[in-house]
Amino acid sequence: MTRILLRIANAIVSIVVLLSLTIAGAYAGYALWDNSRIYSAAEDVQADMIKLKPKTEEGEDGPTFAELLNVNPDVCAWVTLDNTKIDHPVLQGQDNMSYINTDVYGNFALAGSIFLDSRNDNAFGDTFSLLYGHHMENSGMFGDLDLYKDRQFFLDNTSGLLILPDSSYDLEIFACLVVEASDDMIFDPTRWQADISNLLSYTKENAMYFRQETLDMLTKEDCPHILAFSTCSAEFTDARTVVLARMENHLSGIQEGS
């Protein structure tokens, strides 16, 4: 009788283990499929949007900014960082949750959008403007900000472009930092609209890498403009990778409907 009970108990344990392994396998398979679906959706949106990347020179063939605004009037810019896959429209919502899980079409998407802090001027007239984007593998969204944590890449890649409805700015990368998500020195853009001297000192003291010549240039400018890029990072809990760029006016001859 005891042997029979032991056999039954062993059979039950085996069935439970088998079911657990089956469920775990099914969940892992679903997680992989779901992750693939999220990345594929983000890639599809970017592929559609890249066709609408606005021209930057008068007389140049290509889409106008007005075409982007027809897709979503919350689009306020287009940002590109050279030698990365960061090449996206920039949106601004009523608050910083508006586009964290919403794509440029207004659809729910875990990849979200690249968006400007809701406290910033959407014409990028502020001294310090702050962009957010999810960190995704395979260079999705702001995943390629990780590249700037490699010293040689940081030294070799300094350029980018910010396109606005009626002008554009050349971007000069000058610092890369890893900070806490609660760091008001970075994540309170209203703090630096009058004087950026403390921000530049903070950058010099805390950056992984920085360009002294650009910091010197910013201290001498009457109306400096800094653009910050932020994404999640894995160094510690609530870590954020932040890349800072100096904005230099490129041209002002493009009109929305031109």
Side-chain angles (χ1 to χ4, degrees):
M1 184 69 174
T2 302
R3 290 181 179 178
I4 294 174
L5 290 175
L6 284 174
R7 288 175 183 173
I8 293 173
N10 287 335
I12 292 172
V13 170
S14 298
I15 292 171
V16 170
V17 170
L18 181 60
L19 285 173
S20 298
L21 291 174
T22 300
I23 292 170
Y27 179 79
Y30 170 79
L32 288 172
W33 171 82
D34 190 52
N35 193 56
S36 174
R37 182 178 59 84
I38 292 169
Y39 280 85
S40 178
E43 290 170 359
D44 289 346
V45 170
Q46 185 179 17
D48 287 343
M49 285 295 100
I50 206 72
K51 299 172 186 176
L52 296 178
K53 182 177 180 179
K55 63 185 180 181
T56 58
E57 302 288 346
E58 285 190 276
E60 178 185 2
D61 291 332
T64 66
F65 209 98
E67 293 175 63
L68 274 180
L69 294 174
N70 286 337
V71 174
N72 189 328
D74 285 344
V75 175
C76 58
W78 186 288
V79 68
T80 303
L81 294 183
D82 295 337
N83 297 319
T84 76
K85 291 188 178 180
I86 295 173
D87 204 11
H88 300 279
V90 177
L91 296 100
Q92 186 186 50
Q94 293 184 346
D95 56 53
N96 286 338
M97 298 303 293
S98 298
Y99 286 101
I100 195 167
N101 289 133
T102 302
D103 66 22
V104 67
Y105 297 112
N107 299 321
F108 174 77
L110 288 175
S113 299
I114 304 304
F115 62 95
L116 175 68
D117 193 290
S118 60
R119 294 165 289 183
N120 275 127
D121 170 25
N122 67 3
F124 291 83
D126 290 336
T127 300
F128 182 84
S129 301
L130 176 60
L131 300 183
Y132 302 91
H134 285 302
H135 182 281
M136 299 182 69
E137 301 297 328
N138 302 319
S139 302
M141 305 310 286
F142 270 180
D144 269 359
L145 290 184
D146 276 356
L147 295 173
Y148 293 96
K149 291 190 282 191
D150 177 84
R151 179 175 177 79
Q152 198 57 53
F153 186 90
F154 177 84
L155 293 174
D156 293 343
N157 296 274
T158 64
S159 59
L161 184 66
L162 182 74
I163 305 172
L164 306 182
D166 59 358
S167 64
S168 65
Y169 286 88
D170 290 318
L171 301 178
E172 179 186 2
I173 305 298
F174 69 88
C176 179
L177 307 88
V178 175
V179 301
E180 294 182 356
S182 59
D183 190 341
D184 285 345
M185 298 293 280
I186 298 296
F187 296 108
D188 180 5
T190 64
R191 188 169 185 165
W192 308 116
Q193 301 312 327
D195 180 7
I196 62 167
S197 57
N198 288 337
L199 173 63
L200 298 181
S201 296
Y202 175 83
T203 298
K204 188 173 180 178
E205 293 169 4
N206 293 278
M208 297 176 65
Y209 315 114
F210 65 90
R211 290 187 173 80
Q212 183 63 53
E213 61 273 21
T214 309
L215 292 177
D216 292 341
M217 189 180 303
L218 284 164
T219 61
K220 297 174 183 177
E221 291 182 343
D222 292 332
C223 298
H225 293 286
I226 294 173
L227 182 61
F229 300 77
S230 169
T231 195
C232 295
S233 197
E235 282 80 1
F236 50 85
T237 302
D238 287 337
R240 298 292 185 269
T241 297
V242 176
V243 170
L244 301 179
R246 172 179 170 265
M247 297 167 56
E248 181 179 8
N249 194 253
H250 178 65
L251 56 88
S252 59
I254 298 177
Q255 301 300 320
E256 289 185 12
S258 64

